[in-house]
Structure formats: C-alpha cells, structure tokens
C-alpha cells in the first residue's frame, strides 16, 4: 500500500522540481526572503486620511472580486476533454 | 555645544507630551548608520529635586536613563568593533533587520531595567485617573520593549547570547536559556496586558480624556506577543475580552469624539492590523470563514490606496498586502463564491508587479482559481499537494481543503450543462444518471479514457486484468479519497474488479452530492436505487456568488 502511494507521488514531485529549477532559478531565494517576515509588519506610515483609503476607490469591490462563478465557462483543454468524453459516452449508449 | 535641560517632572505637571518627551522615552534605534555615533541630543533630561519624593516617577526616570545608557554603550562598542572588521568582511555585517547587539541582550540587568521602565510607567498611568495623555508614550515604551524581547526570542540559539545569572546554574544550556527567554517574554506579555487593562477599564465619561483610545494599540501588541509565544489560548482570551466589551463600536464613537491629533496619528495602521488579527483568529483558528472574511475585507479597505499615497517602503507594504490576501482570497472563495481579479490586484494594489510578494500571490492562487472555475479536480489536487506546507504555515489548510467541494460542484454543473445539450427537448432531462456523472468525475480526476471505459461499462462478471494481484496486496477496501483516486488513475493498479470499483466511486459521488444538496448548493434529491440525481426543474443550481462587504 504505502509503496504504491509513494511511487505515485514521485512523478508529481519530480515534475515540480524540474519546473522549479529551470525557468525560475530565484524561487529558492524568494522563499527565503519571504520566510523572514513571519509576522505582520508595521506600516511604513502611521495613518492616512479616510479619502485615501482603498474603500474610497470607485467600485473597488467589483474590481477586486469577480462574481461570475455560477455561469463562467472556461474554454481550456480540460473543459473540452470533459465535453468530448461525456458526448462520446452518450453516443455509445444510443448505438 | 549649548546644552538644554529638560525636566521630566514638568510633563507630568502639564499632562502633555512633546517631541522632547518622546525622545526621552525612545531608545536609540539599532541602525548602523554612522550618524548614530554622534551624541543623540544636545538636550539633557533631568528630574528636579522636588520630585525625588515621588517614588513612581523617580523609578520611571531612573530606569529610562539607565536603559538608554545601556543601549548607548552597547551600540558605541558595537560600532567600534564593527569599524575594525568592516574592511575585512563587508558582506557578513549586512544588518538588514537592524538588530541590537547580542551583548546587550545577554545582560539580564538591561532586560530587567526595561521591564521596570514599563512597569513604572504603567503605575504612573494608573495613578493619573482623569486623563489619557500618557497612553501614546506608554504604547511607545511597550512597543519598543516588545521588539527587544522578540529579538531575544528570535536569537535564542545565537552562540554569543550568554546570560550571567548566578541563581540559575547552567543558564546557558539551550533548554534552560530557552526557558529563561520564554519567561522574559511572558513577563513582558503580562505587563503589556496590564497596560491594555488600564485602557479597557477606564470609566472616565469624558471621551476625550478616556484611556479606552489605547485599546486597539495594546490589543495589537498583545496579538503580536502571543503569536510570538505561539499561545493560542491567550489570543482566545483576548478576543473574549474584546468581544464582551464591544470594543470596536466604542472605539468608533470615541474616534468621532476625539479630534485632536494625539492618538489619531496612529489610528489607521492600527485599525488595519487589528482587523487582520481578528480575521486571522476567526479564519485560521475557529474556521469561522464568514466572520474572518468580514474582518479581513475591512482591513484591506482601510489600507491606503497606493495610487494616492506615496509609500516610502514599497516592500513593507507589499508584504502587508501579501499577508492580507493570503487569508482573504481563500476565505472569500469559500464564503462568497467570488474569486479575485488577480490582474487588478497585481497592477493596482501591489507596488511593482515584479515584487516577490506579488509573484507569490499569483503563483499560489492562480492555479486554484482556474480549478475553481473549471472543476478540474486533478489539477486542484496536484496544486494542493505542491503547496501543502505553505497552506499549513499560513493557517489556510482547512479553508483550502474545503474549496475542493466547490471545485466538485463546478464539475457537476459543467456535466449538467453538457447533459442538457445532449438531451435537449427530452422529458427526462432533469434526471441525471450517476454513471454519466461518473465519467465526468473520472475525467476530472485525470483518468485515461481506456480506464473510464473499463469502469463505466463494467458488468457483473467482469474481472479486470491485474485485479487479483491487487487483491492480494490489499485485503481491505481502500479508504480515503486520495487513495482511491491514485488507485484508479492507473489501470494496472485496479484494486478490485471494475464493477466493484464502479460501485465504490458511485457511492463516493453520492456522498459528495448529498453534501452539496444539504448545503443548498444543488436543489434536488438522490435516488440511490436508480443511481440517479433528480434536480429541480426551475433552479437546479441556485446562484451562490454574493457581493463582498
């Protein structure tokens, strides 16, 4: 059992390290610098006026958050493959 | 150089502070610029003779002066030595975080002195029942001793951190040293809590003079110190106290009443921080993602608009965006079913899109958002596995596991859409056979077509190749989703006959669907006997995305 699951893991992790080492050689350094600040840092300025807050940016919530999840359709490889698979099954069933 | 004498007692008479008083209580910062070699000021702080009877004031004055001397001496020594070595090895001495020299922290006398400084100031604040002029100075004192003690905690393993405490034998063996440091930090926490309580319990009806204005400042400091101590119970207690006193509403009222620039100068940054800590507590410790989302959204909304305010230290502010977004994004996906517009965030919120903090937010959340939109479970599980430690470190592990359910829901919706196009115009289009969803489910988990075929069309007599071997290996049926999943991804590892596998996965799908129906994410019911999902003719999938804030 355990051997099975580890062999399954390996290709995934290998893939990940391959990807990491090749294009972004600075990922390791990124990790290091980011680990340093493990706490919420103090703001470089103490205060600012109400009108300069993000709250007062026009339609900030609509800019930040997309609300179309219920209906959004993504045209990617996965979605197309899913479609093909399901349609194929249906055809076989009707034959 | 002409010297100016400044009598500290005067401030306590006038009940007002100025820059000189703030300079008096503030320690020299551990910067290594040469300018700090110069005598810090032409001004000399004294306490007049009439005040020597005032025990509390004298204690505060003396401990402050003593602590300042300790720091000056240590810094000057450090500079001298540094200059000598500087030419030999420049890089080694890069002191990015501006730390105090370790010799200073090794002195128990120094540590006791700064603790006494805070204690004596607490007493002075307590004595002054009718005004709040000392709250900001108290915060400055408390904050700087917190910083020193947290540096001490961070550097506990430093080889040069050597205490000299006669009463404790072996006080420099690491476990004992760690214990001493922890006790220091706990003592520091107790004294800061004392400051907090002084603010919280002020009953002064004059809001302008009421010490409650310091509550947020000291709460933030308490949050920080309990995080440093990794003490969740203390955070919980603090939140209890804050909730039972309805602190936030009171603060707002007081904020409106107070117009002078005193404490308001600290205000916004602390409001952000306070909301962050509250959100972090509810989301990461209590799994109350809705409440967490409200707090974190408030925190973000109170932040300065980088387009309007020139920020001198972009990397600090970017690290703050990062902290906020790491929690806010998954909690929002989970509770509001909305997802962030990463392009907007990277271009308008972060300063410099090439910043590592910005990149990290994109790396972590872009793939998850894609899966959330497409219903791709395989990609989700893969990404999850890659970032598992990151989730754990940041307290979003639970939230991330729960997002999987929404990915599954999206998958079902996508399957349903395809089902509709195939069965357009037919009467039974509201009855979806589970084997149909099974194909989608297997596809989404990354199963090969061959395997899908094998499982879907399996009949009772079917026995898949290789299944016997497998049965020998595992007598029990595989439990747990991930295990099942890895198993039927690969044909050769089929643990059971295809028929058995099919029934098992259909059960699994039914379980997921039952959960979704119970949460009102799907309107409909399951027929286990017929292995089908019957959905509402009017609104099978109620709209879930809701506005934030």
């Amino acid at each position: 059992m355990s051997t099975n699951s580890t062999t399954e893991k390996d290709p995934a992790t290998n893939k990940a390290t391959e990807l990491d080492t090749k294009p972004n050689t600075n990922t390791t350094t990124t990790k290091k610098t980011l680990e340093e600040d493990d706490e919420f840092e103090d703001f470089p300025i103490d205060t600012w006026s109400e009108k300069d807050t993000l709250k007062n940016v026009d339609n900030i919530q609509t800019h930040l958050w997309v609300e179309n999840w219920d209906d959004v359709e993504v045209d990617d490889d996965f979605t197309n493959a899913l479609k093909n698979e399901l349609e194929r099954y249906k055809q076989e069933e009707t034959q | 150089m002409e010297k100016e004498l400044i009598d500290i007692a005067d401030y306590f008479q006038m009940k007002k502070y100025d820059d000189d008083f703030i300079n008096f209580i503030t320690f020299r910062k551990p910067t290594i610029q040469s300018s700090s070699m110069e005598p810090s000021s032409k001004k000399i702080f004294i306490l007049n003779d009439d005040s020597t009877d005032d025990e509390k004031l004298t204690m505060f004055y003396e401990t402050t002066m003593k602590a300042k001397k300790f720091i000056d001496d240590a810094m000057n020594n450090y500079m001298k030595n540094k200059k000598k070595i500087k030419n030999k090895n420049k890089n080694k001495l890069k002191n990015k975080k501006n730390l105090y020299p370790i010799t200073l922290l090794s002195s128990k006398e120094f540590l006791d002195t700064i603790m006494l400084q805070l204690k004596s100031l607490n007493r002075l604040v307590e004595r002054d029942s009718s005004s709040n002029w000392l709250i900001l100075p108290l915060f400055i004192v408390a904050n700087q001793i917190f910083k020193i003690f947290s540096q001490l905690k961070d550097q506990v393993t430093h080889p040069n951190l050597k205490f000299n405490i006669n009463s404790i034998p072996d006080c420099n063996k690491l476990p004992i040293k760690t214990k001493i440091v922890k006790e220091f930090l706990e003592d520091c926490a107790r004294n800061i809590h004392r400051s907090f309580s002084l603010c919280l319990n002020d009953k002064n009806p004059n809001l302008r003079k009421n010490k409650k204005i310091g509550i947020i400042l000291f709460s933030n400091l308490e949050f920080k110190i309990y995080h440093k101590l990794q003490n969740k119970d203390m955070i919980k207690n603090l939140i209890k106290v804050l909730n039972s006193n309805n602190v936030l509403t009171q603060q707002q009222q007081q904020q409106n009443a107070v117009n002078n620039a005193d404490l308001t100068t600290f205000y916004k940054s602390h409001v952000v921080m306070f909301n962050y800590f509250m959100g972090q507590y509810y989301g990461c410790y209590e799994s109350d993602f809705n409440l967490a989302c409200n707090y974190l959204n408030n925190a973000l909304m109170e932040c300065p608009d980088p387009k309007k305010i020139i920020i001198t230290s972009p990397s600090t502010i970017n690290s703050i965006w990062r902290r906020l977004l790491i929690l806010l994004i998954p909690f929002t996906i989970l509770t509001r079913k909305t997802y962030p517009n990463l392009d907007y965030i990277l271009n308008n919120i972060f300063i410099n899109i090439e910043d590592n903090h910005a990149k990290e937010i994109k790396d972590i959340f872009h793939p998850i958002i894609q899966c959330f939109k497409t219903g791709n479970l395989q990609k989700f599980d893969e990404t999850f596995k890659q970032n598992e430690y990151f989730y754990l470190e940041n307290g979003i592990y639970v939230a991330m596991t729960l997002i999987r359910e929404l990915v599954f829901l999206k998958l079902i919706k996508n399957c349903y859409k395809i089902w509709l196009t195939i069965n357009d115009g037919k009467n039974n289009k509201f009855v979806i056979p589970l084997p149909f969803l099974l194909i989608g489910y297997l596809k989404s988990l990354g199963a090969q077509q061959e395997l899908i075929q094998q499982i879907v069309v399996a009949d009772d007599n079917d026995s898949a190749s290789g299944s016997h071997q497998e049965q020998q290996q595992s007598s029990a049926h595989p439990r747990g989703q991930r295990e099942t999943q890895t198993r039927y991804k690969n044909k050769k590892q089929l643990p059971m006959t295809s028929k058995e596998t099919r029934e098992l996965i259909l059960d699994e799908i039914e379980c997921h669907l039952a959960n979704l129906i119970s949460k009102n994410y799907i309107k409909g019911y399951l027929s286990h006997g017929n292995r089908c999902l019957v959905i509402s003719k009017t609104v099978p999938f109620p709209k879930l995305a809701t506005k934030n804030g």
Side-chain angles (χ1 to χ4, degrees):
Chain A
M1 289 282 273
S2 57
T3 46
N4 276 343
S5 52
T6 43
T7 45
E8 274 295 318
K9 252 182 229 165
D10 280 341
T13 39
N14 281 343
K15 213 190 261 173
T17 44
E18 266 171 40
L19 282 173
D20 279 351
T21 44
K22 254 204 164 178
N24 15 311
T25 36
N26 54 1
T27 24
T28 44
T29 53
T30 313
K31 275 271 151 64
K32 260 181 205 160
T33 50
L34 292 184
E35 270 167 23
E36 266 175 35
D37 44 60
D38 60 337
E39 51 197 61
F40 198 86
E41 288 195 57
D42 290 336
F43 270 90
I45 37 174
D46 292 328
T47 198
W48 43 89
S49 77
E50 185 71 22
K51 67 176 173 28
D52 293 332
T53 53
L54 281 177
K55 198 163 53 182
N56 276 313
V57 175
D58 283 341
N59 298 321
I60 180 73
Q61 293 293 348
T62 0
H63 286 308
L64 286 175
W65 306 104
V66 190
E67 284 173 39
N68 68 0
W69 179 67
D70 291 285
D71 311 300
V72 67
E73 278 182 53
V74 183
D75 187 25
D76 71 344
D77 291 350
F78 167 73
T79 311
N80 292 327
L82 180 72
K83 214 172 186 168
N84 290 339
E85 196 67 49
L86 287 170
E87 277 167 358
R88 181 189 300 126
Y89 168 74
K90 197 61 208 169
Q91 280 160 14
E92 278 168 15
E93 188 130 281
T94 47
Q95 274 163 16
Chain B
M1 193 166 19
E2 217 173 295
K3 305 252 177 185
E4 190 189 335
L5 295 183
I6 292 174
D7 185 358
I8 297 306
D10 285 351
Y11 293 102
F12 288 81
Q13 289 273 312
M14 295 183 303
K15 300 194 181 236
K16 226 179 175 177
Y17 64 83
D18 61 9
D19 289 348
D20 287 332
F21 185 74
I22 300 296
N23 281 336
F24 167 67
I25 57 169
T26 311
F27 299 152
R28 187 162 137 189
K29 299 269 182 320
T31 41
I32 34 174
Q33 278 133 27
S34 51
S35 61
S36 54
M37 285 288 284
E38 292 160 20
S40 43
S41 168
K42 292 182 263 183
K43 291 167 179 168
I44 294 177
F45 302 108
I46 57 153
L47 194 65
N48 65 44
D49 292 342
D50 299 342
S51 302
T52 42
D53 290 345
D54 186 340
E55 230 175 88
K56 287 170 183 164
L57 183 55
T58 312
M59 170 77 97
F60 174 62
Y61 172 79
E62 280 174 358
T63 48
T64 308
M65 292 304 279
K66 194 172 165 190
K68 284 166 89 84
K69 176 134 184 17
F70 258 113
I71 291 176
D72 279 345
D73 290 351
M75 291 300 290
N76 289 341
N77 264 335
Y78 180 71
M79 298 300 189
K80 267 184 222 155
N81 292 336
K82 210 201 102 214
K83 270 199 172 159
K84 278 183 210 158
I85 324 168
K86 200 179 178 181
N87 301 332
K88 285 183 196 165
N89 197 343
K90 267 187 182 171
N91 287 339
K92 257 196 173 172
L93 279 161
K94 261 194 184 167
N95 190 347
K96 221 180 81 187
K97 274 219 152 179
N98 288 334
L99 299 172
Y100 283 111
I102 199 80
T103 45
L104 178 68
L105 301 186
S106 302
S107 161
K108 184 175 181 292
E109 203 187 345
F110 168 69
L111 299 173
D112 288 340
T113 306
I114 54 173
M115 202 80 88
L116 260 182
Q117 187 204 20
L118 177 60
K119 272 186 191 165
S120 56
L121 189 55
N122 266 339
R123 284 186 204 123
L124 288 169
V125 172
E126 189 178 12
R127 186 170 75 176
D128 186 354
S129 59
S130 62
S131 103
N132 63 8
W133 76 278
L134 266 172
I135 294 302
L136 184 63
L138 180 65
F139 174 72
I140 293 172
V141 167
N143 194 36
Q144 77 189 354
I145 101 161
F146 161 69
K147 283 195 171 142
I148 291 170
F149 283 110
S150 53
Q151 189 199 326
L152 183 68
K153 170 122 200 298
D154 292 342
Q155 294 193 302
V156 67
T157 53
H158 196 294
N160 292 339
L161 181 71
K162 283 186 184 128
F163 292 124
N164 187 8
I165 307 171
N166 291 332
S167 55
I168 307 173
D170 296 330
C171 65
N172 287 311
K173 283 190 179 159
L174 191 59
I176 299 177
K177 202 161 74 169
T178 314
K179 202 174 154 237
I180 296 173
V181 168
K182 190 170 168 246
E183 277 164 10
F184 265 122
L185 204 59
E186 281 167 350
D187 199 20
C188 175
R190 266 191 297 277
N191 287 312
I192 288 174
H193 184 69
R194 177 95 197 100
S195 315
F196 169 81
S197 306
L198 288 171
C199 295
L200 188 74
N201 299 326
D202 193 357
K203 302 276 188 283
N204 193 339
N206 181 352
L207 287 181
R208 282 169 160 273
K209 301 269 168 99
N210 193 302
K211 297 187 182 71
K212 281 202 162 78
I213 195 141
I215 289 175
I216 283 196
L217 306 184
F218 291 102
S219 307
N220 286 340
L221 213 45
E222 284 201 60
F223 276 123
K224 284 185 180 179
I225 200 160
Y226 298 146
H227 276 292
K228 203 91 211 164
L229 282 164
Q230 294 166 321
N231 191 330
K232 188 186 146 187
D233 292 335
M234 298 299 279
I235 296 178
K236 200 170 184 165
N237 286 340
L238 176 63
I239 301 247
K240 232 184 242 167
V241 174
L242 290 169
N243 282 342
S244 66
N245 283 279
N246 204 4
V247 166
L248 273 186
T249 350
Q250 285 186 18
Q251 284 275 300
Q252 202 52 51
Q253 287 165 359
Q254 197 177 4
Q255 178 69 14
N256 297 338
V258 177
N259 292 317
N260 61 16
D262 279 8
L263 279 162
T264 39
T265 53
F266 262 90
Y267 204 67
K268 283 275 178 215
S269 56
H270 277 276
V271 169
V272 173
M273 210 185 280
F274 183 80
N275 277 295
Y276 171 79
F277 283 128
M278 294 296 276
Q280 182 189 42
Y281 171 78
Y282 282 111
C284 304
Y285 295 155
E286 297 290 318
S287 294
D288 186 338
F289 303 114
N290 197 29
L291 199 49
C293 209
N294 288 342
Y295 276 115
L296 292 163
N297 187 48
N298 284 345
L300 185 67
M301 290 300 103
E302 292 293 345
C303 282
D305 178 359
K307 294 244 145 72
K308 285 192 191 146
I309 298 218
I310 298 154
I311 289 157
T312 45
S313 164
S315 80
T316 312
I317 199 110
N318 280 345
S319 92
I320 293 172
W321 300 133
R322 171 182 170 273
R323 291 234 141 257
L324 279 171
L325 290 166
I326 283 176
L327 302 186
L328 184 57
I329 291 175
F331 298 166
T332 304
I333 293 178
L334 211 50
T335 56
R336 311 279 191 267
K337 281 84 182 175
T338 56
Y339 56 94
N341 181 343
L342 286 180
D343 280 340
Y344 182 85
I345 289 177
L346 295 180
N347 288 306
N348 295 282
I349 305 287
F350 278 101
I351 303 165
N352 176 13
I353 195 166
E354 290 301 309
D355 181 273
N356 284 336
H357 300 288
K359 276 188 185 161
E360 195 181 35
I361 289 293
K362 195 182 172 184
D363 289 350
I364 294 288
F365 291 112
H366 177 71
I368 293 294
I369 293 166
Q370 278 309 105
C371 301
F372 178 64
K373 280 156 76 177
T374 58
N376 189 339
L377 287 165
Q378 184 197 21
K379 181 87 181 128
F380 180 88
D381 292 337
E382 242 172 48
T383 316
F384 192 99
K385 207 156 199 179
Q386 273 171 25
N387 297 320
E388 225 167 7
Y389 284 109
F390 181 89
Y391 301 157
L392 278 169
E393 273 169 2
N394 289 284
I396 54 171
Y397 189 90
V398 177
M400 296 306 292
T401 53
L402 293 173
I403 288 176
R404 193 180 194 273
E405 185 178 58
L406 298 174
V407 179
F408 178 80
L409 173 61
K410 188 71 197 181
L411 172 73
I412 297 300
K413 283 174 94 167
N414 283 342
C415 292
Y416 170 66
K417 271 183 195 161
I418 299 163
W419 172 256
L420 278 189
T421 57
I422 298 170
N423 293 285
D424 195 27
K426 290 181 190 162
N427 283 335
N428 63 351
K429 66 179 175 183
F430 300 106
V431 181
I432 312 166
L434 292 188
F436 180 77
L437 297 179
L438 172 69
I439 301 169
Y441 187 56
L442 287 171
K443 189 74 202 167
S444 169
L445 287 169
Q448 296 300 315
Q449 204 222 320
E450 205 184 330
L451 177 68
I452 297 178
Q453 283 272 314
Q454 190 189 325
I455 293 174
V456 172
V457 299
D459 57 43
D460 293 316
N461 302 321
D462 174 74
S463 63
S465 58
S467 60
H468 292 298
Q469 286 175 353
E470 273 297 318
Q471 265 168 343
Q472 280 166 3
Q473 276 179 31
S474 63
S475 52
H477 279 207
R479 295 213 172 263
Q481 208 163 0
R482 187 158 292 173
E483 217 169 294
T484 345
Q485 202 171 294
T486 47
R487 283 182 163 277
Y488 49 67
K489 224 188 254 179
N490 188 336
K491 187 184 165 191
K492 283 174 194 159
Q493 289 183 359
L494 270 183
M496 304 157 278
T497 64
S498 299
K499 165 85 176 162
E500 281 171 325
T501 312
R502 190 180 72 166
E503 294 307 305
L504 181 83
I505 304 169
L506 283 172
D507 287 345
E508 194 180 306
I509 293 175
E510 275 185 16
C511 282
H512 287 315
L513 289 172
N515 279 329
L516 294 174
I517 293 170
S518 80
K519 288 185 178 173
N520 258 336
Y521 291 171
I522 299 178
K523 291 245 189 258
Y525 61 89
L526 284 163
S527 168
H528 177 71
N530 296 317
R531 284 285 196 200
C532 63
L533 169 70
V534 184
I535 52 163
S536 155
K537 287 179 186 173
T538 48
V539 198
F541 298 96
K543 189 173 163 27
L544 293 177
T546 50
K547 275 200 169 58
N548 215 339

